[in-house]
Amino acid sequence: MSISSALSNALSGLSASARAANVVSSNIANAMTEGYGTRRLDLASRMNGSEGSGVRVVGVSRQEDTVLLAQRRLSSANLGANQTTADFMARLEGLIGVPDTPGSLSAQLAEFEGQMISAANSPWNDTLLTNAVDGAQSLVNTINAISSGIQDERFRADTDIDRAVGQINSALEGLEDLNKRILSATAKGGEVASLMDAQAQLVEQVAPYIPIQTRRETNGALQIYSDDGHVLLGHRAAQLGFDRAPGMDPFLSLETGNISGLTLNGRPLRLDGTYPAFDGGQLSAMFQVRDTLGPEAQARLDGVARDLAERFDRPGLDATIAAGSPGLFTDAGGFVDGVNEVGLAGRLRLNAAVMPAEGGAVWRLRDGLGAAVEGPSGNATFLTAQIDAMAATLPTASAAFSPTSRSLSGLISENLSVAGLGRSSAEMKLSQAAARHTTLETAELASGVDTDDELQRLLRIEQMYAANARVITVSEEMMDELMRIAR
């Protein structure tokens, strides 16, 4: 080997060492950067004919465990879905309230029953009659408030869907732009690792909402598919479509078409049935809250309101009103008809006949809602009959419950139990999803930048640099010696 060849080889080694040190320093600096892929310098022998002529830098490659990353992203979607469901069920149980919580539905019913019993024991006492009317009003207000709260939760879900769709579309558009930049850089022989890092960060904005799978083309372009096969990013980014509702009420549903579904490139996606679109992600869970869990909770509450009203509408209970006339609890002032059960909890009102502020009188709670004049003040027959009507074990007419016979308090307790069991089940699933996500996230972090390993690489780079520098020094000494001999 000639001295000039030795110098050329050593100089290429110095250049590669400097480049390798730069890569290692970048890895160490970004050890805590989310979405950063560990860099590795790719080297190859430089050939001059059939002889080696040093080393050449092929490029910088980005390292990542694609299998582990895919599993962690799927776990992110599962965690997001379970978090959304658990949050809704917890808030629903809070709206209904546990029996020992003041202001809960069970507590309001118990208080109303107690006030009715006190009024029946002293039917001449206007204060106790007023208290009973106020208790009935508080019960109505509580049912109205729970109904409003359920619709607020559905509207929250609708708003969250709109926000999520906007974020997903923005991320997919950014990924499409980065694909173009990667293709351009690859064609020019440039490095694309930083662009891939930026893509990884954008993918993380999509992953919690939709279970996804990714594939990197040989030219560097990224493709993204939903776990159920929808193309989200190919040659172009897909576009999700959704129209946010201006408000929410029990009559708005996906089936009737008066609230928006989800579209992909203008094509409607099926969000229910055996194989709903994007199933298992947070976006799907939001639709489930808006279109399934919320309406089911509303239907059960409407069933409670119907049962309450019908107990006071039973034929023969109040001889002072005609059949078909509203009893103590009304549908916005009218008779409660089971055909119009949807949204009844929000329309439930106390009969104006017992409300002094609306021209009624509290003594009608004792004498009958249709009584024209006040009756004997000591007659508690009607009060007692109303108390018995609440405690009676009767078949539940609402389709939201089984037709089993229950008392009113039993029905309200069952409604709370359904919400409580739903919350407990959702929290258990959330706990399992969180544990799996944490495990995969820890494994992913462990497979990221290892600073100890990088420092060991830096020591080897230092040794390589020193060795190449020594070759140059020796070559210089040999050339000096040859020059001295020549003189």
Side-chain angles (χ1 to χ4, degrees):
M1 176 183 291
S2 66
I3 295 176
S4 61
S5 295
L7 279 171
S8 176
N9 289 346
L11 286 171
S12 70
L14 287 177
S15 177
S17 299
R19 188 74 177 275
N22 181 63
V23 170
V24 169
S25 65
S26 175
N27 287 338
I28 294 174
N30 287 279
M32 300 299 292
T33 301
E34 186 175 353
Y36 181 82
T38 305
R39 310 302 200 249
R40 289 288 177 259
L41 188 67
D42 297 326
L43 302 173
S45 297
R46 190 172 64 184
M47 302 297 293
N48 183 11
S50 60
E51 295 183 0
S53 182
V55 64
R56 65 186 177 90
V57 176
V58 177
V60 177
S61 61
R62 182 176 181 272
Q63 308 290 312
E64 64 181 11
D65 188 334
T66 55
V67 174
L68 179 59
L69 184 59
Q71 291 178 338
R72 200 270 301 153
R73 284 172 175 165
L74 289 176
S75 77
S76 295
N78 186 40
L79 178 63
N82 283 287
Q83 185 71 65
T84 297
T85 303
D87 288 347
F88 169 76
M89 296 308 301
R91 288 193 290 264
L92 175 61
E93 187 180 35
L95 285 171
I96 299 172
V98 295
D100 57 352
T101 302
S104 68
L105 186 55
S106 297
Q108 292 289 2
L109 176 63
E111 186 173 354
F112 172 51
E113 287 181 322
Q115 290 163 337
M116 288 288 285
I117 291 171
S118 296
N121 289 333
S122 303
W124 57 84
N125 192 321
D126 285 346
T127 299
L128 295 179
L129 289 172
T130 300
N131 290 342
V133 170
D134 290 344
Q137 183 63 63
S138 295
L139 181 59
V140 168
N141 291 344
T142 299
I143 293 174
N144 294 162
I146 297 172
S147 177
S148 178
I150 291 172
Q151 297 311 310
D152 287 345
E153 289 299 321
R154 294 185 66 208
F155 184 64
R156 181 206 298 261
D158 190 86
T159 303
D160 289 344
I161 291 168
D162 183 65
R163 186 182 301 113
V165 166
Q167 179 174 318
I168 293 168
N169 284 335
S170 177
L172 292 177
E173 289 170 4
L175 287 164
E176 179 186 353
D177 178 66
L178 285 170
N179 267 349
K180 294 176 181 177
R181 293 170 64 184
I182 287 172
L183 291 174
S184 175
T186 301
K188 296 176 182 177
E191 293 183 12
V192 296
S194 295
L195 295 175
M196 290 181 178
D197 285 343
Q199 280 191 325
Q201 293 173 1
L202 287 177
V203 170
E204 294 304 322
Q205 295 183 21
V206 179
Y209 296 108
I210 302 174
I212 57 173
Q213 300 287 348
T214 63
R215 185 167 70 89
R216 182 76 64 179
E217 297 282 355
T218 54
N219 59 13
L222 183 69
Q223 293 188 346
I224 303 178
Y225 305 86
S226 68
D227 206 33
D228 55 349
H230 296 285
V231 179
L232 298 177
L233 178 65
H235 295 295
R236 300 191 63 181
Q239 183 77 19
L240 295 180
F242 179 80
D243 295 320
R244 194 180 77 141
M248 193 64 62
D249 65 58
F251 293 96
L252 296 180
S253 70
L254 195 60
E255 291 75 15
T256 57
N258 45 23
I259 52 176
S260 176
L262 190 66
T263 62
L264 181 65
N265 296 327
R267 177 174 56 86
L269 295 177
R270 187 178 183 109
L271 300 169
D272 57 1
T274 307
Y275 301 106
F278 303 154
D279 188 33
Q282 191 172 6
L283 186 62
S284 174
M286 291 172 183
F287 275 103
Q288 187 179 28
V289 167
R290 191 196 70 171
D291 300 328
T292 302
L293 298 178
E296 287 176 353
Q298 181 68 51
R300 290 192 298 271
L301 186 66
D302 290 340
V304 169
R306 176 182 174 182
D307 188 80
L308 170 63
E310 288 182 343
R311 287 173 181 272
F312 288 83
D313 288 342
R314 293 177 64 191
L317 180 67
D318 186 354
T320 65
I321 59 175
S325 297
L328 184 60
F329 299 97
T330 72
D331 183 351
F335 181 75
V336 172
D337 188 342
V339 176
N340 301 320
E341 184 178 328
V342 176
L344 175 61
R347 302 190 306 270
L348 193 69
R349 300 290 184 270
L350 193 62
N351 198 315
V354 298
M355 301 175 67
E358 298 187 22
V362 297
W363 52 261
R364 288 198 176 93
L365 187 63
R366 177 193 64 211
D367 299 329
L369 300 181
V373 295
E374 189 172 356
S377 62
N379 185 3
T381 303
F382 182 47
L383 287 168
T384 302
Q386 292 177 94
I387 295 169
D388 292 341
M390 285 189 284
T393 302
L394 302 172
T396 303
S398 174
F401 297 92
S402 69
T404 304
S405 295
R406 308 169 179 85
S407 64
L408 179 58
S409 62
L411 183 64
I412 288 176
S413 295
E414 183 171 332
N415 182 42
L416 175 60
S417 295
V418 171
L421 287 171
R423 188 262 311 157
S424 178
S425 175
E427 287 183 349
M428 181 177 66
K429 291 179 181 178
L430 175 61
S431 177
Q432 294 171 347
R436 173 176 171 77
H437 179 73
T438 299
T439 300
L440 290 170
E441 193 172 44
T442 301
E444 182 186 6
L445 291 172
S447 67
V449 176
D450 185 340
T451 52
D452 289 338
D453 181 64
E454 297 299 322
L455 289 172
Q456 290 176 12
R457 287 177 181 275
L458 195 58
L459 289 174
R460 291 197 294 272
I461 292 168
E462 181 184 12
Q463 292 170 355
M464 183 174 70
Y465 188 93
N468 282 285
R470 180 59 181 160
V471 170
I472 292 175
T473 300
V474 171
S475 297
E476 182 183 17
E477 291 174 352
M478 292 175 64
M479 293 181 68
D480 289 343
E481 182 64 19
L482 288 172
M483 293 294 293
R484 186 185 64 78
I485 294 173
R487 288 199 298 269

